[in-house]
Amino acid sequence: IYSKEISGLRPNTNYTIYVEGVCRNIDNPCGIAPINVLTLEQNYTLPFCENFDSYENYGFLQDWYRPSRFDDRPYTSTRMYIGTASLNMHAYGDLNYNHSTAVLPYIEFDTLQNKYISFWGYGTRDVSYIEVGVMTEPNDESTFEVVKRVTLPNGSWKKFVADFASYTGNGNYIA
């Protein structure tokens, strides 16, 4: 066999593949070093909509990126404005350290100039906010560029719209 298709892999995910050959000497099987591969990204187009209803509570979003230092956030939650689930960004204390970052999957577009993102937000503290921005590398928080900061209301839901009209960078990942 010269090639083999592997199914069920997640887009934009690193995998290590081990291949072992069948040799004439059964006591000493032929093998090769592990092969590291990165699967291709899933291409999404606009309009793109995610309502989080298809995810289990405390799960994470397929094809999204989570570059934060905490592998348990953000996560989906049953606190929602409409539907059955929402994305819980969870932050506390020193927000330079204790924050969540969620990055949308790669979306095919030429420019962000006439694009926007809308969402419902719910604050749980007197000073809660979300920074909406763009990244050039979805797994590297240092490439995050703030486009808009929105203040969340404490204990209630509010709809927000962040447009990218003033963005002039080359990032393709909305975070």
Side-chain angles (χ1 to χ4, degrees):
I1 297 178
Y2 294 100
S3 67
K4 175 67 177 161
E5 182 177 316
I6 302 172
S7 62
L9 302 178
R10 290 185 50 133
N12 198 43
T13 303
N14 287 306
Y15 289 94
T16 301
I17 299 171
Y18 296 87
V19 178
E20 186 174 289
V22 178
C23 299
R24 293 181 189 183
N25 183 347
I26 297 174
D27 294 333
N28 189 13
C30 299
I32 63 171
I35 302 168
N36 295 312
V37 297
L38 174 64
T39 54
L40 298 174
E41 293 179 336
Q42 171 78 33
N43 283 334
Y44 290 90
T45 57
L46 296 175
F48 175 78
C49 180
E50 177 63 77
N51 62 13
F52 310 113
D53 287 347
S54 63
Y55 297 94
E56 294 181 19
N57 198 23
Y58 297 104
F60 190 63
L61 312 168
Q62 180 178 338
D63 301 341
W64 286 52
Y65 301 88
R66 180 170 44 191
S68 91
R69 62 183 51 86
F70 303 100
D71 62 3
D72 63 342
R73 59 184 107 130
Y75 55 86
T76 55
S77 168
T78 55
R79 172 181 284 171
M80 66 282 176
Y81 175 74
I82 192 168
T84 60
S86 67
L87 183 63
N88 186 321
M89 296 296 290
H90 193 80
Y92 62 91
D94 178 2
L95 296 182
N96 290 320
Y97 181 77
N98 297 314
H99 64 275
S100 298
T101 303
V103 183
L104 276 73
Y106 179 83
I107 300 173
E108 188 80 35
F109 51 79
D110 294 331
T111 178
L112 276 175
Q113 297 278 296
N114 59 353
K115 309 295 187 284
Y116 68 90
I117 185 171
S118 66
F119 58 93
W120 287 88
Y122 182 98
T124 58
R125 301 175 188 268
D126 292 333
V127 182
S128 288
Y129 63 89
I130 291 179
E131 291 178 331
V132 177
V134 180
M135 297 174 77
T136 55
E137 293 294 329
N139 291 310
D140 182 356
E141 286 185 316
S142 71
T143 70
F144 179 76
E145 188 175 337
V146 176
V147 173
K148 183 172 185 174
R149 177 187 267 197
V150 297
T151 301
L152 302 173
N154 188 19
S156 63
W157 290 96
K158 182 178 177 183
K159 186 173 184 176
F160 296 95
V161 176
D163 70 60
F164 300 97
S166 63
Y167 180 71
T168 59
N170 61 357
N172 244 33
Y173 294 92
I174 299 171

